[in-house]
Amino acid sequence: MFFGIILALIATVLYNAGFVLEKRALRDLPKISAHRVGHLVRVLCGSRAWVTGFLVMGMGLLCQLGVMSLVPLSVGQPIQLAGLALLVVFSAVFLGERTTPREWTGLGVLALSLLLVCLSMEPTRLGLHAGTGVLLAVSAGTVVVAMGAFLAAIRSGRRTGRPVPGVLYGAASGLLYGAGALQTKGVAGFLADHAGGVIGRTLASPYPYLYVLMSGAGLLLFQTGLQRGRASIVVPVSSVVGSVYTVMAGTAVFGEPLPEDPVRLVLRSAGFAASIVVVVLMPRHDEEPVEVLGAPALVTSDQAG
């Protein structure tokens, strides 16, 4: 399990570095929208800088696939959240984004979440297989909820005429990314079986096709939100929602048991709760520096409007 934890940390570094590279590229690209899929794909694929960021994220995905075959979802996913601290540092250094006190508080809660989950670890059985009907039902329900959040973000922007908070875009993309992560968990199960014909078994299962569908849709929503909002808001919300969803849905769908020891169960539950609190702590609107009586201050888009 120790190697799985190390691999999870490597994966989250690659993920967040890829996010920052994508955000830098999006600043110089034409406006994109998930409603115009063809235009969005052409713009993104035509940018070498964006493609580089995407490939770095892909390396993180490969590491995550290995993580899911080594540690339980309820351990691996919260560890991934710890990498959001790097995101804030990367955003400040490479994107010039200012970190607010609320965001620093959120990072502290993430650190607490990681500590609680690590203290809750114990040898346990990995859940490696899921029923096809259950998986399809959960995936379909996730798509409905995610699209509802995305449409709410669009309507909010049209109704108020103000910048849409990145929380809604982050939540929508996080749900779809989380659903995609469930499919990689299924493929990891084939690898953990150490049986022959892994490729054939994978192609005969719904996992690769659902992964492409869920992750592709999540990518469209995420890139739209990333261009319109701050990376330090969109990315953490997307990551937290996706991780918590993967743990909750994956534990049920794959039948992965929680710790049997009551104390460890409480620690792990507290770790999950701390991760969810981050979504509440993160600001709902971008904050921009303004000059008030010669002194810099922060004002939200609500106040500016």
Side-chain angles (χ1 to χ4, degrees):
M1 185 176 290
F2 176 77
F3 178 73
I5 294 175
I6 297 299
L7 192 60
L9 293 174
I10 294 174
T12 195
V13 170
L14 293 173
Y15 269 130
N16 289 288
F19 288 144
V20 171
L21 291 173
E22 288 181 353
K23 176 64 177 180
R24 290 187 64 181
L26 286 167
R27 286 179 168 181
D28 301 324
L29 296 179
K31 184 177 180 180
I32 59 175
S33 173
H35 288 99
R36 302 171 60 192
V37 178
H39 174 263
L40 185 151
V41 172
R42 287 194 300 272
V43 169
L44 296 183
C45 293
S47 169
R48 292 183 179 180
W50 184 89
V51 171
T52 299
F54 183 77
L55 291 176
V56 172
M57 285 182 57
M59 293 171 61
L61 175 62
L62 292 176
C63 291
Q64 180 65 10
L65 183 61
V67 170
M68 289 186 174
S69 65
L70 295 171
V71 300
L73 283 170
S74 53
V75 173
Q77 289 299 315
I79 290 176
Q80 292 290 310
L81 299 179
L84 295 179
L86 287 176
L87 173 67
V88 175
V89 175
F90 290 162
S91 297
V93 174
F94 299 108
L95 302 177
E97 295 184 355
R98 178 179 299 180
T99 303
T100 65
R102 183 183 297 183
E103 290 168 344
W104 281 119
T105 302
L107 291 174
V109 174
L110 285 176
L112 175 62
S113 171
L114 175 61
L115 176 61
L116 293 174
V117 171
C118 288
L119 292 175
S120 73
M121 290 188 301
E122 66 178 6
T124 185
R125 176 178 59 84
L126 291 176
L128 299 173
H129 303 288
T132 301
V134 175
L135 182 66
L136 292 176
V138 170
S139 299
T142 303
V143 171
V144 172
V145 175
M147 293 309 300
F150 179 71
L151 293 176
I154 295 177
R155 285 195 292 266
S156 175
R158 291 175 178 174
R159 183 174 61 253
T160 63
R162 298 173 178 174
V164 178
V167 172
L168 292 174
Y169 284 115
S173 62
L175 286 171
L176 293 177
Y177 278 143
L182 290 182
Q183 319 312 317
T184 62
K185 176 67 175 177
V187 175
F190 295 147
L191 295 176
D193 285 342
H194 301 292
V198 173
I199 296 178
R201 295 171 65 191
T202 299
L203 295 178
S205 72
Y207 298 133
Y209 314 107
L210 287 177
Y211 173 78
V212 172
L213 176 63
M214 298 296 178
S215 298
L219 177 64
L220 297 179
L221 271 59
F222 180 81
Q223 295 300 325
T224 300
L226 188 60
Q227 187 182 57
R228 299 178 183 181
R230 291 172 55 206
S232 55
I233 295 178
V234 177
V235 176
V237 172
S238 180
S239 297
V240 171
V241 170
S243 296
V244 172
Y245 168 88
T246 303
V247 172
M248 294 178 62
T251 299
V253 172
F254 288 91
E256 196 166 86
L258 293 171
E260 296 182 358
D261 178 49
V263 175
R264 295 181 185 274
L265 179 59
V266 170
L267 290 173
R268 187 163 299 183
S269 299
F272 297 157
S275 299
I276 297 174
V277 168
V278 175
V279 178
V280 179
L281 290 175
M282 288 298 175
R284 295 300 189 270
H285 299 276
D286 290 348
E287 296 179 336
E288 300 176 353
V290 296
E291 195 76 16
V292 179
L293 299 179
L298 291 177
V299 60
T300 65
S301 58
D302 282 338
Q303 295 168 325

